[in-house]
Amino acid sequence: MPRESKRARLERMRAEYELLCEEIPAPKCALNFTNPFQLIVATVLSAQTTDKRVNTVTPALFAAYPDAASLAAARPEDVEDIIRPLGFYRSKAAHLLGLAAGLDHDFDGVVPRTMDELTSLPGVGRKTANVVLGNAFGIPGFPVDTHVMRVTGRLHWRSDWRIAKSDPVKVEAEICACFPPSEWTDLSHRLILHGRAVCHARKPDCANCPLNGTCPSAGVA
């Protein structure tokens, strides 16, 4: 593929995103939640497992511990029993108790609405904070997970697409600079859903991909 100018790449990115919008017209968070506390807990639990599996344990977890104060006071072994099907249940229970204690102590049990405050909580990084900002509060956020990294790399949407392990913070900044903030949350959802359904890690389904006409990796990823 001939060298692509920054302007040409930006035009291609936006055209490809329009196709993703047609492919996925109404994206939404795959985690089930009814309030910001439930979402931040579910997002922490989603590490190294699927959202679908998280949704199988959170109803019991939220019924037993509906807020930060009750979760902070929970016995670790009781939380472990509920989340055991997710794997890594001991470390995840410890993360949840630390998160709940931080929420209860520093924010009166209320999930904060800024990146700096969210990432000050134990176990909350930028990805989790962006999920909460975008989906619980409607504040622009662009979560970068493994699907986003893979799809943006194959599409050459970022300048470091040749690097095996890119910095998610740099990826977030570069991609966000190409789209208006109002699109960031849905853009992340669409890239994730496209990665799950079509642009698989081991064998992407290029033949049935709506982006195969312009994707630099089509047929060779």
Side-chain angles (χ1 to χ4, degrees), residues 30-57:
L31 294 167
N32 295 335
F33 69 97
T34 60
N35 56 55
F37 170 72
Q38 291 186 358
L39 179 57
I40 197 169
V41 167
T43 306
V44 169
L45 286 175
S46 69
Q48 297 177 294
T49 189
T50 65
D51 293 347
K52 184 176 181 179
R53 184 168 292 178
V54 171
N55 291 337
T56 66
V57 305

Short mmCIF file of all heavy atoms in Angstrom, two decimals, residues 30-57:
data_model
loop_
_atom_site.label_atom_id
_atom_site.label_comp_id
_atom_site.label_asym_id
_atom_site.label_seq_id
_atom_site.Cartn_x
_atom_site.Cartn_y
_atom_site.Cartn_z
N ALA A 30 -22.27 -3.33 26.74
CA ALA A 30 -22.70 -4.72 26.88
C ALA A 30 -22.87 -5.15 28.33
O ALA A 30 -23.42 -6.22 28.61
CB ALA A 30 -21.71 -5.65 26.19
N LEU A 31 -22.40 -4.33 29.27
CA LEU A 31 -22.57 -4.64 30.68
C LEU A 31 -23.93 -4.15 31.16
O LEU A 31 -24.35 -3.04 30.83
CB LEU A 31 -21.46 -3.97 31.50
CG LEU A 31 -20.04 -4.49 31.27
CD1 LEU A 31 -19.03 -3.54 31.89
CD2 LEU A 31 -19.88 -5.89 31.83
N ASN A 32 -24.61 -4.97 31.95
CA ASN A 32 -25.91 -4.58 32.50
C ASN A 32 -25.71 -3.76 33.77
O ASN A 32 -24.99 -4.18 34.68
CB ASN A 32 -26.75 -5.82 32.81
CG ASN A 32 -27.11 -6.61 31.56
OD1 ASN A 32 -27.15 -6.05 30.46
ND2 ASN A 32 -27.37 -7.89 31.71
N PHE A 33 -26.36 -2.61 33.84
CA PHE A 33 -26.25 -1.76 35.03
C PHE A 33 -27.44 -0.81 35.08
O PHE A 33 -28.08 -0.55 34.06
CB PHE A 33 -24.95 -0.95 35.00
CG PHE A 33 -24.90 0.11 33.93
CD1 PHE A 33 -25.22 1.43 34.20
CD2 PHE A 33 -24.56 -0.22 32.62
CE1 PHE A 33 -25.19 2.40 33.21
CE2 PHE A 33 -24.53 0.74 31.61
CZ PHE A 33 -24.84 2.06 31.92
N THR A 34 -27.73 -0.32 36.28
CA THR A 34 -28.82 0.65 36.44
C THR A 34 -28.35 1.96 37.05
O THR A 34 -29.12 2.91 37.12
CB THR A 34 -29.95 0.07 37.30
OG1 THR A 34 -29.44 -0.27 38.60
CG2 THR A 34 -30.56 -1.17 36.66
N ASN A 35 -27.10 2.01 37.51
CA ASN A 35 -26.57 3.24 38.09
C ASN A 35 -25.04 3.23 37.97
O ASN A 35 -24.44 2.20 37.66
CB ASN A 35 -27.01 3.40 39.55
CG ASN A 35 -26.62 2.22 40.41
OD1 ASN A 35 -25.45 1.85 40.47
ND2 ASN A 35 -27.59 1.62 41.10
N PRO A 36 -24.39 4.37 38.21
CA PRO A 36 -22.93 4.44 38.05
C PRO A 36 -22.16 3.48 38.94
O PRO A 36 -21.13 2.94 38.52
CB PRO A 36 -22.62 5.90 38.41
CG PRO A 36 -23.88 6.65 38.07
CD PRO A 36 -24.98 5.72 38.44
N PHE A 37 -22.65 3.24 40.16
CA PHE A 37 -21.96 2.29 41.04
C PHE A 37 -21.95 0.90 40.43
O PHE A 37 -20.91 0.22 40.41
CB PHE A 37 -22.65 2.26 42.41
CG PHE A 37 -22.15 1.15 43.31
CD1 PHE A 37 -20.89 1.22 43.87
CD2 PHE A 37 -22.95 0.05 43.58
CE1 PHE A 37 -20.41 0.19 44.68
CE2 PHE A 37 -22.49 -0.98 44.39
CZ PHE A 37 -21.22 -0.91 44.94
N GLN A 38 -23.07 0.46 39.91
CA GLN A 38 -23.12 -0.86 39.30
C GLN A 38 -22.19 -0.94 38.08
O GLN A 38 -21.54 -1.95 37.85
CB GLN A 38 -24.55 -1.20 38.90
CG GLN A 38 -25.47 -1.45 40.08
CD GLN A 38 -26.85 -1.94 39.65
OE1 GLN A 38 -27.14 -2.07 38.46
NE2 GLN A 38 -27.71 -2.21 40.62
N LEU A 39 -22.13 0.13 37.31
CA LEU A 39 -21.29 0.10 36.11
C LEU A 39 -19.81 0.04 36.46
O LEU A 39 -19.06 -0.72 35.85
CB LEU A 39 -21.57 1.32 35.23
CG LEU A 39 -20.73 1.38 33.95
CD1 LEU A 39 -20.91 0.14 33.09
CD2 LEU A 39 -21.06 2.63 33.15
N ILE A 40 -19.38 0.81 37.44
CA ILE A 40 -17.95 0.80 37.76
C ILE A 40 -17.54 -0.55 38.34
O ILE A 40 -16.47 -1.07 38.04
CB ILE A 40 -17.58 1.97 38.72
CG1 ILE A 40 -16.07 2.19 38.70
CG2 ILE A 40 -18.08 1.75 40.13
CD1 ILE A 40 -15.63 3.48 39.39
N VAL A 41 -18.42 -1.16 39.13
CA VAL A 41 -18.14 -2.50 39.66
C VAL A 41 -18.09 -3.53 38.53
O VAL A 41 -17.16 -4.34 38.45
CB VAL A 41 -19.20 -2.90 40.71
CG1 VAL A 41 -19.12 -4.39 41.03
CG2 VAL A 41 -19.04 -2.07 41.98
N ALA A 42 -19.07 -3.50 37.65
CA ALA A 42 -19.11 -4.45 36.54
C ALA A 42 -17.90 -4.29 35.62
O ALA A 42 -17.35 -5.28 35.12
CB ALA A 42 -20.40 -4.28 35.75
N THR A 43 -17.47 -3.06 35.41
CA THR A 43 -16.32 -2.82 34.54
C THR A 43 -15.04 -3.37 35.15
O THR A 43 -14.22 -3.97 34.45
CB THR A 43 -16.18 -1.32 34.24
OG1 THR A 43 -17.41 -0.82 33.71
CG2 THR A 43 -15.08 -1.07 33.22
N VAL A 44 -14.88 -3.19 36.44
CA VAL A 44 -13.71 -3.76 37.12
C VAL A 44 -13.74 -5.28 37.01
O VAL A 44 -12.72 -5.93 36.77
CB VAL A 44 -13.68 -3.31 38.59
CG1 VAL A 44 -12.64 -4.11 39.38
CG2 VAL A 44 -13.36 -1.82 38.69
N LEU A 45 -14.91 -5.87 37.15
CA LEU A 45 -15.04 -7.33 37.05
C LEU A 45 -14.78 -7.85 35.64
O LEU A 45 -14.43 -9.02 35.46
CB LEU A 45 -16.44 -7.77 37.48
CG LEU A 45 -16.75 -7.72 38.98
CD1 LEU A 45 -18.22 -8.07 39.22
CD2 LEU A 45 -15.85 -8.66 39.75
N SER A 46 -14.94 -7.01 34.64
CA SER A 46 -14.85 -7.47 33.25
C SER A 46 -13.42 -7.74 32.79
O SER A 46 -13.22 -8.29 31.70
CB SER A 46 -15.51 -6.46 32.31
OG SER A 46 -14.75 -5.26 32.25
N ALA A 47 -12.44 -7.38 33.59
CA ALA A 47 -11.05 -7.63 33.21
C ALA A 47 -10.82 -9.14 33.08
O ALA A 47 -11.20 -9.92 33.95
CB ALA A 47 -10.10 -7.06 34.26
N GLN A 48 -10.21 -9.54 31.95
CA GLN A 48 -9.84 -10.93 31.68
C GLN A 48 -11.03 -11.89 31.65
O GLN A 48 -10.89 -13.08 31.93
CB GLN A 48 -8.80 -11.41 32.71
CG GLN A 48 -7.49 -10.62 32.62
CD GLN A 48 -6.50 -11.04 33.67
OE1 GLN A 48 -6.71 -10.85 34.86
NE2 GLN A 48 -5.39 -11.61 33.21
N THR A 49 -12.19 -11.37 31.32
CA THR A 49 -13.36 -12.23 31.09
C THR A 49 -14.30 -11.48 30.15
O THR A 49 -13.99 -10.38 29.69
CB THR A 49 -14.06 -12.58 32.41
OG1 THR A 49 -15.05 -13.59 32.16
CG2 THR A 49 -14.74 -11.37 33.04
N THR A 50 -15.45 -12.06 29.85
CA THR A 50 -16.38 -11.43 28.92
C THR A 50 -17.47 -10.66 29.65
O THR A 50 -17.82 -10.99 30.80
CB THR A 50 -17.04 -12.49 28.02
OG1 THR A 50 -17.85 -13.35 28.84
CG2 THR A 50 -15.99 -13.32 27.30
N ASP A 51 -18.00 -9.66 28.98
CA ASP A 51 -19.11 -8.90 29.56
C ASP A 51 -20.31 -9.82 29.82
O ASP A 51 -21.02 -9.67 30.82
CB ASP A 51 -19.53 -7.76 28.64
CG ASP A 51 -18.45 -6.69 28.51
OD1 ASP A 51 -17.50 -6.71 29.32
OD2 ASP A 51 -18.55 -5.84 27.60
N LYS A 52 -20.53 -10.75 28.90
CA LYS A 52 -21.65 -11.67 29.05
C LYS A 52 -21.53 -12.48 30.34
O LYS A 52 -22.52 -12.67 31.06
CB LYS A 52 -21.71 -12.61 27.84
CG LYS A 52 -22.90 -13.55 27.82
CD LYS A 52 -22.91 -14.38 26.54
CE LYS A 52 -24.12 -15.32 26.51
NZ LYS A 52 -24.14 -16.11 25.24
N ARG A 53 -20.34 -12.92 30.64
CA ARG A 53 -20.15 -13.69 31.87
C ARG A 53 -20.31 -12.81 33.10
O ARG A 53 -20.88 -13.23 34.11
CB ARG A 53 -18.77 -14.36 31.85
CG ARG A 53 -18.52 -15.27 33.05
CD ARG A 53 -17.28 -16.11 32.85
NE ARG A 53 -17.47 -17.09 31.78
CZ ARG A 53 -16.53 -17.93 31.37
NH1 ARG A 53 -15.32 -17.88 31.92
NH2 ARG A 53 -16.78 -18.81 30.42
N VAL A 54 -19.82 -11.57 33.03
CA VAL A 54 -20.00 -10.64 34.15
C VAL A 54 -21.47 -10.45 34.46
O VAL A 54 -21.90 -10.42 35.63
CB VAL A 54 -19.33 -9.29 33.85
CG1 VAL A 54 -19.69 -8.25 34.92
CG2 VAL A 54 -17.82 -9.44 33.77
N ASN A 55 -22.28 -10.35 33.41
CA ASN A 55 -23.72 -10.15 33.60
C ASN A 55 -24.41 -11.31 34.30
O ASN A 55 -25.52 -11.16 34.79
CB ASN A 55 -24.39 -9.89 32.24
CG ASN A 55 -24.00 -8.56 31.63
OD1 ASN A 55 -23.59 -7.64 32.34
ND2 ASN A 55 -24.12 -8.45 30.32
N THR A 56 -23.76 -12.47 34.34
CA THR A 56 -24.38 -13.61 35.02
C THR A 56 -24.19 -13.56 36.53
O THR A 56 -24.94 -14.21 37.26
CB THR A 56 -23.81 -14.95 34.50
OG1 THR A 56 -22.41 -15.06 34.87
CG2 THR A 56 -23.96 -15.06 33.00
N VAL A 57 -23.20 -12.80 37.01
CA VAL A 57 -22.95 -12.76 38.46
C VAL A 57 -23.37 -11.44 39.11
O VAL A 57 -23.60 -11.40 40.32
CB VAL A 57 -21.47 -13.04 38.79
CG1 VAL A 57 -21.00 -14.35 38.18
CG2 VAL A 57 -20.57 -11.90 38.36
#
